[in-house]
Amino acid sequence: MTTLEPVPRPSAVEAVIDQMQRQLTSGTWSVGDRIPGEYDLSARLRVSRPAVREAIRALSHIGVLEVRRGDGTYVRSAVDPRPLLRRFERATLRDVFELQQAYDVQAASLAARRRTPDDLVRLGALLEDRDAAEDPEEFGGADVRFHIGVAEAAHNVLLVEAFRYFQSRLRESLSAVRLDGELPDAGPAAHRAVVEAIAARDPDAAGRAAERITVPTLDALEALL
């Protein structure tokens, strides 16, 4: 089963981004420069490597940095990214679940086409972990790991990276759903239907099953607005 490192607190990631932005505005880093690696940045900025990794991921998704596999991370833009990142942090629950639905449908459809036997074993274990989770925070983490597992079974690197960038906000939202009795959770059967459709190599059924997972929560959120 794939394991994930603990998600850094948003404040820790924001602190790293603030320090990295100072490197840009001071001229220490210029557009086109390769920045130090995760280990060096962690030591220089005196923060954890997971926080550095999440900050780099966030900045690469909005075009400030470019991660070149096997080469390093380069500066693409000196524009201050923090106003845009704050908008991500202020996203509503409905925003989050609508985006999750889009990711989930595409990931499940691709996974049904490309999954391997090992993918199915991993998804089964992740589903069991999700079903067994009782504490809201534990549930949020288990559910995120399941959805990332589906994305990994799609074997699309960018889709997995997008999911991983999105995971901290999604984890908070899933925990909130479990705490709020007015917002229904699709439950184990709906998630098992996704795995079964992926196992059957049926992309259309997998996409429909993935879409149904978020429908109850989205319908409830619409009714509350």
Side-chain angles (χ1 to χ4, degrees):
M1 181 178 69
T2 300
T3 58
L4 299 177
E5 292 180 342
V7 178
R9 293 178 62 85
S11 57
V13 178
E14 290 167 8
V16 176
I17 290 173
D18 285 344
Q19 293 187 68
M20 294 175 77
Q21 182 61 28
R22 283 197 287 273
Q23 303 298 310
L24 292 168
T25 55
S26 68
T28 302
W29 298 344
S30 301
V31 174
D33 285 351
R34 183 172 66 177
I35 69 172
E38 281 182 16
Y39 183 84
D40 287 343
L41 278 176
S42 176
R44 293 185 190 189
L45 303 181
R46 298 182 180 180
V47 294
S48 69
R49 289 184 66 185
V52 169
R53 189 175 305 122
E54 287 302 313
I56 290 173
R57 184 172 287 132
L59 294 175
S60 66
H61 275 284
I62 60 176
V64 173
L65 298 177
E66 178 184 2
V67 179
R68 302 177 187 173
R69 293 189 176 276
D71 188 9
T73 302
Y74 290 79
V75 179
R76 291 187 59 191
S77 171
V79 174
D80 188 346
R82 289 169 293 185
L84 177 58
L85 292 172
R86 289 190 193 103
R87 287 198 287 275
F88 273 100
E89 288 301 316
R90 293 170 185 163
T92 66
L93 271 177
R94 184 178 66 178
D95 294 335
V96 172
F97 279 99
E98 285 176 346
L99 185 57
Q100 184 199 346
Q101 186 179 75
Y103 281 148
D104 282 348
V105 170
Q106 182 68 357
S109 297
L110 290 175
R113 295 185 178 96
R114 301 172 180 170
R115 59 82 175 166
T116 66
D118 287 344
D119 290 329
L120 290 180
V121 171
R122 185 170 65 252
L123 286 174
L126 291 170
L127 191 60
E128 289 180 6
D129 288 347
R130 184 191 183 279
D131 292 348
E134 296 181 358
D135 175 78
E137 186 173 348
E138 180 189 1
F139 168 76
D143 194 279
V144 166
R145 287 190 289 274
F146 171 78
H147 288 282
I148 291 178
V150 173
E152 289 173 335
H155 297 280
N156 180 302
V157 173
L158 291 180
L159 185 60
V160 173
E161 282 300 305
F163 242 121
R164 289 188 181 279
Y165 169 62
F166 184 52
Q167 71 172 323
S168 61
R169 189 68 177 88
L170 176 58
R171 184 172 184 167
E172 294 169 6
S173 300
L174 291 165
S175 297
V177 166
R178 177 55 69 92
L179 285 169
D180 190 337
E182 294 185 28
L183 294 179
D185 169 54
H191 288 74
R192 191 164 300 280
V194 174
V195 176
E196 290 173 352
I198 290 172
R201 296 194 184 276
D202 189 333
D204 292 338
R208 289 194 301 271
E211 184 175 18
R212 284 195 292 272
I213 286 177
T214 50
V215 166
T217 304
L218 283 171
D219 286 347
L221 288 169
E222 288 288 351
L224 290 172
L225 292 176

